[in-house]
Amino acid sequence: MERVLMATKLETPGLGARIKRELVKNKYIYLLALPVIAYYIIFCYWPMFGLVIAFKQYELGKGIFDSKWVGLKYFMEFFKSRNCLRLIGNTLGISLYDLIAGFPAPIIFALLLNEIRSSKFKRTVQTITYLPHFISLVVLCGMITDFFAAEGIITKILMKFGGSQINYLGAPKYFKTIYVTTNIWQGVGWGSIIYLAALSGISPELYEAATVDGAGRFRQLLAVTLPGIAPTIVIMLILRMGQLMSVGFEKIILLYNPGTYETADVISSFVYRRGIGESAQYSFSSAVGMFQSVINLILLLGANFLSKRFSGNSLFK
């Protein structure tokens, strides 16, 4: 028995040999993945080292290592500032608004597209709805600004239904609604792709069995379609929960103005202004950004845990 075990150990290649064999066997696949791996290492993982400046009074001339260590000074400065609650409230408000209104939109759109029998009409609708995703954000925000101006086309349509002739982007109470609805318009077609792929993976035999049992279209939707794409929906929801504290600053800073700061200013736009724009406070901005990332991580882990416990689906173990 001992001889058999010894022979097995000798025959089992080591970790280095297994890695080498795997690289040789699938070298072209790893070669294709190399640019993606390099991108994440260079632009995502390597910059994490720079987070140390959140705990230092960073000075460009001294560099990261020689700058003075100040601990949690900038974290406390942010939490005690009058902007803290407003920024967190605006960030969560826009994110939750976008989650409630925007997350179901591509799912509903994919379900509607799935019911279309004319392939030509279906392809036409898909092409039209994909287009806004590929428009430059600067151009897109310029269009939004023109549409919601006092003489804009959207403003004129709203006036037909009793709306006022005002610059809607200049009114703080309308900013979140404009931001979320234009997000839906921009992303509903592109976001539906993954759900259409999930729908294509549902076996036609399930629909045939449901038809034999007397189920109509709506009943098939509830009993076959939605359960079939439920794992995809859960995974996408978990990923979305991990972004609740991350509202991209690009679109915000292109649409907001000092008059709408009370509802439009979010953590990322504040970090941009303090870190690059107005005062170049790199350490303070890094501290705020790190706080934002930690909360996102907690939300992601919490959503993943709850999903695994109650639905059995999870992003990771």
Side-chain angles (χ1 to χ4, degrees):
M1 184 66 179
E2 291 180 0
R3 291 180 179 179
V4 173
L5 291 173
M6 288 294 292
T8 304
K9 289 181 180 179
L10 290 172
E11 292 173 1
T12 303
L15 178 61
R18 292 200 302 271
I19 293 175
K20 184 178 179 180
R21 185 173 62 188
E22 176 67 19
L23 290 173
V24 172
K25 181 181 178 181
N26 299 304
K27 55 182 178 293
Y28 296 114
I29 295 176
Y30 288 111
L31 189 62
L32 286 172
L34 190 60
V36 178
I37 296 171
Y39 170 84
Y40 280 100
I41 291 174
I42 296 171
F43 295 104
C44 296
Y45 290 98
W46 179 251
M48 286 183 183
F49 172 75
L51 286 174
V52 72
I53 69 174
F55 305 95
K56 291 193 170 191
Q57 188 175 332
Y58 179 67
E59 297 179 34
L60 284 173
K62 293 183 178 180
I64 294 177
F65 294 104
D66 295 328
S67 295
K68 181 182 177 182
W69 184 272
V70 295
L72 300 176
K73 173 186 174 181
Y74 294 109
F75 292 93
M76 299 308 298
E77 182 180 335
F78 173 67
F79 294 140
K80 291 178 180 179
S81 70
R82 60 185 178 86
N83 294 313
C84 180
L85 292 179
R86 174 175 63 85
L87 293 169
I88 294 175
N90 287 345
T91 303
L92 286 176
I94 291 177
S95 291
L96 289 174
Y97 193 171
D98 198 27
L99 178 68
I100 294 170
F103 182 77
I107 301 174
I108 296 171
F109 184 68
L111 292 173
L112 293 174
L113 278 180
N114 192 53
E115 296 298 319
I116 296 176
R117 292 293 171 259
S118 172
S119 58
K120 185 178 180 180
F121 179 71
K122 184 176 181 179
R123 287 195 300 270
T124 303
V125 172
Q126 285 179 290
T127 302
I128 294 172
T129 54
Y130 292 169
L131 287 177
H133 176 79
F134 297 99
I135 299 175
S136 166
L137 189 60
V138 176
V139 175
L140 187 77
C141 290
M143 293 168 60
I144 294 170
T145 301
D146 289 340
F147 290 164
F148 288 94
E151 297 294 332
I153 184 172
I154 301 297
T155 303
K156 291 181 178 180
I157 293 173
L158 292 174
M159 288 173 62
K160 298 291 185 181
F161 296 92
S164 304
Q165 187 175 8
I166 60 172
N167 177 12
Y168 282 93
L169 274 175
K173 64 179 179 179
Y174 297 119
F175 185 87
K176 291 180 181 177
T177 300
I178 294 173
Y179 182 90
V180 172
T181 51
T182 53
N183 262 3
I184 294 173
W185 166 62
Q186 184 183 8
V188 67
W190 184 257
S192 66
I193 292 176
I194 190 168
Y195 299 109
L196 288 170
L199 286 167
S200 66
I202 300 176
S203 174
E205 295 178 357
L206 295 175
Y207 290 105
E208 293 172 4
T211 303
V212 171
D213 290 339
R217 303 296 299 177
F218 185 72
R219 184 61 184 171
Q220 290 179 30
L221 172 68
L222 297 178
V224 179
T225 307
L226 288 179
I229 64 173
T232 303
I233 295 174
V234 170
I235 295 300
M236 297 303 293
L237 181 60
I238 293 173
L239 292 172
R240 191 69 171 268
M241 289 297 294
Q243 299 173 352
L244 276 184
M245 287 291 284
S246 297
V247 177
F249 72 90
E250 298 93 343
K251 187 176 179 180
I252 293 287
I253 64 174
L254 288 169
L255 293 178
Y256 78 166
N257 57 71
T260 58
Y261 276 1
E262 60 180 280
T263 57
D265 198 19
V266 295
I267 292 177
S268 58
S269 61
F270 178 74
V271 167
Y272 172 80
R273 289 201 314 276
R274 291 290 293 268
I276 299 176
E278 297 172 356
S279 51
Q281 297 183 15
Y282 302 115
S283 295
F284 180 83
S285 299
S286 296
V288 178
M290 187 174 182
F291 158 74
Q292 183 181 13
S293 298
V294 169
I295 298 301
N296 277 335
L297 177 61
I298 293 171
L299 290 171
L300 177 67
L301 295 175
N304 187 77
F305 172 79
L306 292 175
S307 174
K308 183 180 178 181
R309 181 168 184 178
F310 293 106
S311 71
N313 297 307
S314 63
L315 186 60
F316 47 84
K317 301 297 183 181

